[in-house]
Amino acid sequence: QRRVSHRRSGRGGRGRELKVVGRLKNLIIPASGHNIAPEPIEEMLLRGVPAAQHVVLIGNGRSYLSALITGKVKREDVESALEKVNAQLPHYKRIHTFHITAEPFTIENGLLTANGKMKRDVIAMRFQSEIEEMYRKASSAAAGPSLRTSTSANFAPDPAVRASSSARTGRRVTGRNSS
């Protein structure tokens, strides 16, 4: 019999198997109330963008997720990887915006622990203005023309999908199932 630390997040598998998917401390809880373990999504995006050094998801209390990506990465590469990653995820786990930064996360600059884990709270504080700008641009893009720069981009849900869903059900599409 194995014990699992109480600080880990997991989900049941086949039989008695338990799969650890992340740390409870790292859970992201967006405005929709879903509990999202960021590590699996970050890993998928890192595999899709080989030039990226780190990916950190942002979204606590926000209406959607966004990502900070470090490294010498091209915007087009990130957009392509996000399309593939988002296609595999449920709507509430999809990444809508991102910001590319050249500043690496290191132990020396205080953004990584001695074990190499990301200090998510410190990263959020260090990049607070960039994070606010991502969400500001995304809300402006919804109201007007798309605002894209070389370091950030916006991913809005496909309006055709939302329209077909609401036409099929006769209800406004929201982030949760409601009966």
Side-chain angles (χ1 to χ4, degrees):
Q1 237 181 14
R2 288 189 174 170
R3 291 183 57 113
V4 177
S5 169
H6 67 282
R7 292 187 223 150
R8 302 284 185 221
S9 169
R11 64 175 178 227
R14 294 186 183 129
R16 300 177 77 170
E17 170 185 312
L18 176 68
K19 182 175 182 180
V20 176
V21 294
R23 300 181 71 201
L24 288 177
K25 179 180 175 182
N26 295 341
L27 278 181
I28 295 174
I29 304 174
S32 65
H34 292 94
N35 291 334
I36 301 170
E39 295 91 349
I41 302 169
E42 292 166 346
E43 286 297 320
M44 290 170 67
L45 192 51
L46 273 172
R47 282 194 301 269
V49 185
Q53 294 173 339
H54 292 96
V55 172
V56 63
L57 291 185
I58 308 293
N60 271 326
R62 308 276 187 162
S63 57
Y64 55 85
L65 298 179
S66 60
L68 285 173
I69 302 167
T70 65
K72 295 185 179 188
V73 179
K74 294 179 185 173
R75 187 185 72 203
E76 297 80 23
D77 294 343
V78 176
E79 288 174 348
S80 173
L82 274 179
E83 285 179 24
K84 292 174 186 168
V85 168
N86 282 341
Q88 301 173 44
L89 298 171
H91 65 91
Y92 62 91
K93 289 185 178 181
R94 292 185 182 140
I95 301 168
H96 291 258
T97 63
F98 65 91
H99 177 78
I100 299 170
T101 181
E103 181 182 355
F105 299 165
T106 65
I107 296 169
E108 292 77 24
N109 67 10
L111 300 177
L112 295 180
T113 67
N115 292 333
K117 294 179 184 168
M118 291 184 284
K119 293 183 177 179
R120 293 174 186 276
D121 294 338
V122 176
I123 292 167
M125 288 186 336
R126 172 83 53 92
F127 294 97
Q128 183 175 4
S129 62
E130 290 88 345
I131 293 167
E132 293 302 324
E133 186 67 18
M134 274 192 295
Y135 284 98
R136 190 172 21 261
K137 284 184 178 184
S139 64
S140 297
S146 178
L147 300 172
R148 292 191 177 193
T149 67
S150 61
T151 58
S152 64
N154 301 307
F155 280 83
D158 184 1
V161 171
R162 294 184 72 82
S164 68
S165 295
S166 61
R168 198 171 46 245
T169 62
R171 293 185 288 179
R172 194 177 106 228
V173 177
T174 62
R176 303 183 124 184
N177 283 340
S178 56
S179 299

